[in-house]
């Protein structure tokens, strides 16, 4: 009895990287001990967490909240609902908001761009409320937008009640969620991220320095945001780039401004010392080839539609295991960009990355004789 191939054929192929580094990776020591309630350090490109302590502990985010306030405003700019040059009227509500201030005057008009700098650099609560009211009408509606975007980003342990970070009974987040948010700002809005490295901003003849002192201490650091309330303690989300590797760290609940800087510096140094990030495959790069039936060509070249980036212990590249899975027999015609399988990258059994595999070139239908001979061959597969 002849046997036809089933509707789904799984083909798994182990690949070997052509330029693997020699040598074995060194053991990874435990992260430094720091005086904080929680922290997370991750790579901004791969998303891999390289160090964490109580990453999902819900705490008050204080002025780290303004990262989400900025993210919502950046989304409104991207959607062309507002513009940086728009002049925003300063309400009595915004003017009277307590805490850190940009010192905008009630009844005045301030551009969106200046308000963003006042919020990002000076941590102005007044600027935050003015932006929230301009984007959403009221701060309460703006908080709903904040939570909508938080859910879309996967910030599952976060809830916002305001745009400033002033204490609220249901205003909370986690170190993990804060790094998720910071990573989204960095990757989605690089054109605005430069404000986070700005060391000072002057408004109304009042010059205020950025509270992120790491900007002065470490030249590789280029953001992001500090926070403090009595309940939250001293918090800092920071980001740095060294040799094209960007790390993001969120440190929550330290006892002093100096402690949050020291802790963040130690964690960033740890991540860079013991981990490295690499691009294994670039967009359009051939990963493997697979048999195609009834086509002018017998093989299709498979690749990835987006770069495959992983973060691994230093020296561990030669221990990575890439596996190609093609989930069905392939028949011509096949159009370029057709998704036909998956690439999986593992290290010591841990899944580091997955990526869809696509056909890189069109495969045209073969002639009658080719189709007939392939049909016969299929009966014996």
């Amino acid at each position: 009895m002849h046997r036809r191939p089933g509707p789904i054929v799984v083909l798994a192929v182990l690949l070997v990287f052509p330029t693997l580094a020699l040598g074995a990776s060194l053991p990874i020591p435990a992260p430094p001990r720091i005086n904080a309630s929680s922290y997370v350090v991750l790579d901004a490109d791969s998303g891999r967490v390289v160090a964490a302590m109580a990453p999902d502990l819900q705490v008050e985010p204080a002025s780290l909240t303004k990262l989400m306030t900025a993210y919502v405003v950046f989304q409104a700019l991207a959607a062309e609902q507002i513009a940086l040059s728009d002049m925003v009227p300063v309400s009595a509500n915004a003017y009277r908001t307590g805490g850190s201030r940009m010192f905008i005057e009630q009844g005045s008009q301030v551009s969106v761009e200046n308000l963003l700098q006042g919020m990002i650099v000076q941590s102005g609560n007044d600027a935050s409320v003015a932006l929230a009211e301009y984007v959403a009408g009221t701060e309460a509606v703006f908080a709903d937008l904040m939570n909508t975007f938080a859910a879309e980003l996967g910030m599952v342990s976060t809830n916002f009640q305001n745009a400033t970070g002033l204490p609220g009974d249901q205003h909370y987040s986690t170190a993990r969620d804060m790094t998720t948010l910071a990573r989204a700002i960095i990757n989605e809005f690089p054109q605005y991220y430069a404000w986070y490295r700005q060391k000072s901003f002057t408004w109304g003849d009042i010059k205020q320095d950025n509270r992120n002192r790491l900007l002065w201490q470490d030249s590789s650091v280029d953001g992001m945001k500090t926070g403090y309330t009595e309940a939250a303690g001293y918090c800092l989300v920071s980001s740095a780039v060294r040799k094209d590797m960007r790390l993001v760290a969120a440190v929550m609940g330290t006892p002093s401004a100096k402690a949050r800087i020291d802790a963040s510096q130690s964690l960033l140094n740890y991540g860079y010392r013991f981990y490295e990030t690499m691009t294994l495959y670039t967009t359009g790069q051939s990963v493997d080839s697979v048999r195609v039936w009834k086509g002018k060509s017998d093989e299709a070249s498979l690749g990835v539609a987006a770069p495959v980036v992983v973060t691994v212990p230093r020296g561990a590249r030669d221990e990575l295991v890439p596996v190609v899975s093609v989930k069905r027999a392939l028949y011509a015609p096949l159009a370029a960009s057709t998704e036909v399988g998956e690439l999986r990258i593992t290290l010591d059994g841990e899944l580091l990355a997955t990526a869809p595999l696509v056909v890189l070139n069109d495969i045209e239908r073969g002639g009658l004789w080719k189709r007939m001979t392939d049909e016969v061959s299929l009966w014996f597969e």
Side-chain angles (χ1 to χ4, degrees):
M1 179 176 179
H2 295 299
R3 176 172 53 86
R4 282 186 176 273
I8 297 179
V9 177
V10 177
L11 171 64
V13 181
L14 294 180
L15 304 175
V16 177
F17 293 118
T19 57
L20 298 182
L22 298 178
S25 59
L26 295 174
I28 302 296
R33 295 181 179 180
I34 65 172
N35 188 2
S37 62
S38 60
Y39 68 78
V40 167
V41 185
L42 59 72
D43 182 88
D45 291 314
S46 69
R48 182 176 181 183
V49 173
V50 301
M53 181 182 75
D56 299 311
L57 176 68
Q58 289 182 338
V59 295
E60 286 190 21
S63 281
L64 301 186
T65 298
K66 296 183 178 83
L67 292 173
M68 179 54 82
T69 303
Y71 184 80
V72 175
V73 176
F74 296 159
Q75 290 285 356
L77 287 166
E80 299 184 350
Q81 296 172 348
I82 62 172
L84 289 176
S85 59
D86 287 356
M87 300 304 292
V88 178
V90 178
S91 69
N93 184 45
Y95 172 73
R96 293 170 183 164
T97 303
S100 53
R101 296 174 56 80
M102 177 184 174
F103 297 106
I104 49 180
E105 294 293 334
Q106 179 179 344
S108 66
Q109 292 195 339
V110 184
S111 70
V112 169
E113 182 172 358
N114 281 327
L115 288 172
L116 279 168
Q117 291 180 80
M119 178 181 69
I120 290 169
V121 182
Q122 300 177 330
S123 199
N125 289 341
D126 47 359
S128 303
V129 173
L131 285 167
E133 291 177 340
Y134 186 65
V135 170
T138 68
E139 188 178 6
V141 174
F142 187 84
D144 289 339
L145 285 176
M146 296 170 74
N147 290 321
T148 297
F149 282 113
E152 291 180 0
L153 291 173
M155 299 170 63
V156 297
S157 300
T158 293
N159 189 70
F160 296 111
Q161 288 182 293
N162 58 61
T164 61
L166 291 172
D169 291 341
Q170 295 300 314
H171 193 92
Y172 53 81
S173 190
T174 67
R176 188 192 305 276
D177 282 357
M178 280 293 141
T179 55
T180 296
L181 173 57
R183 183 186 178 210
I185 291 173
I186 292 166
N187 292 336
E188 294 181 35
F189 299 107
Q191 70 272 38
Y192 304 131
Y193 178 69
W195 282 322
Y196 288 97
R197 71 165 65 99
Q198 192 170 319
K199 290 184 176 179
S200 65
F201 181 65
T202 301
W203 182 259
D205 296 325
I206 301 173
K207 179 182 178 181
Q208 296 186 66
D209 285 342
N210 195 315
R211 291 167 174 80
N212 180 6
R213 304 311 296 179
L214 272 181
L215 294 172
W216 284 265
Q217 179 172 305
D218 184 341
S219 61
S220 71
V221 172
D222 57 10
M224 289 190 66
K225 188 72 189 73
T226 61
Y228 170 77
T229 63
E230 186 174 350
Y234 291 83
C235 309
L236 174 62
V237 172
S238 57
S239 184
V241 178
R242 300 180 192 175
K243 295 182 179 178
D244 296 325
M245 179 180 179
R246 178 177 288 281
L247 292 179
V248 177
V251 174
M252 317 294 282
T254 67
S256 68
K258 183 178 185 302
R260 71 185 173 192
I261 294 299
D262 292 345
S264 299
Q265 184 75 81
S266 296
L267 290 170
L268 289 171
N269 289 344
Y270 171 84
Y272 285 115
R273 173 63 184 85
F274 294 106
Y275 289 87
E276 59 183 329
T277 296
M278 60 195 71
T279 300
L280 300 182
Y281 298 102
T282 58
T283 302
Q285 178 182 348
S286 179
V287 174
D288 197 19
S289 59
V290 67
R291 181 73 162 91
V292 177
W293 301 96
K294 303 183 180 181
K296 285 186 176 181
S297 173
D298 288 334
E299 288 188 341
S301 184
L302 304 183
V304 289
V308 177
V309 181
V310 296
T311 301
V312 299
R314 289 197 174 275
R317 176 167 179 155
D318 55 342
E319 300 168 31
L320 293 171
V321 179
V323 178
V324 165
S325 296
V326 179
K327 299 180 180 179
R328 59 184 174 87
L330 300 182
Y331 299 88
L334 272 177
S337 300
T338 301
E339 184 178 329
V340 296
E342 182 181 61
L343 172 67
R344 296 165 61 87
I345 308 293
T346 64
L347 176 66
D348 294 332
E350 178 188 359
L351 181 63
L352 297 185
T354 62
L357 282 172
V358 298
V359 178
L360 294 181
N361 304 103
D362 292 334
I363 305 295
E364 296 181 9
R365 192 182 187 194
L368 178 61
W369 177 254
K370 183 64 165 61
R371 297 199 307 272
M372 290 177 60
T373 56
D374 275 5
E375 179 67 23
V376 172
S377 297
L378 282 167
W379 284 96
F380 299 97
E381 281 292 313

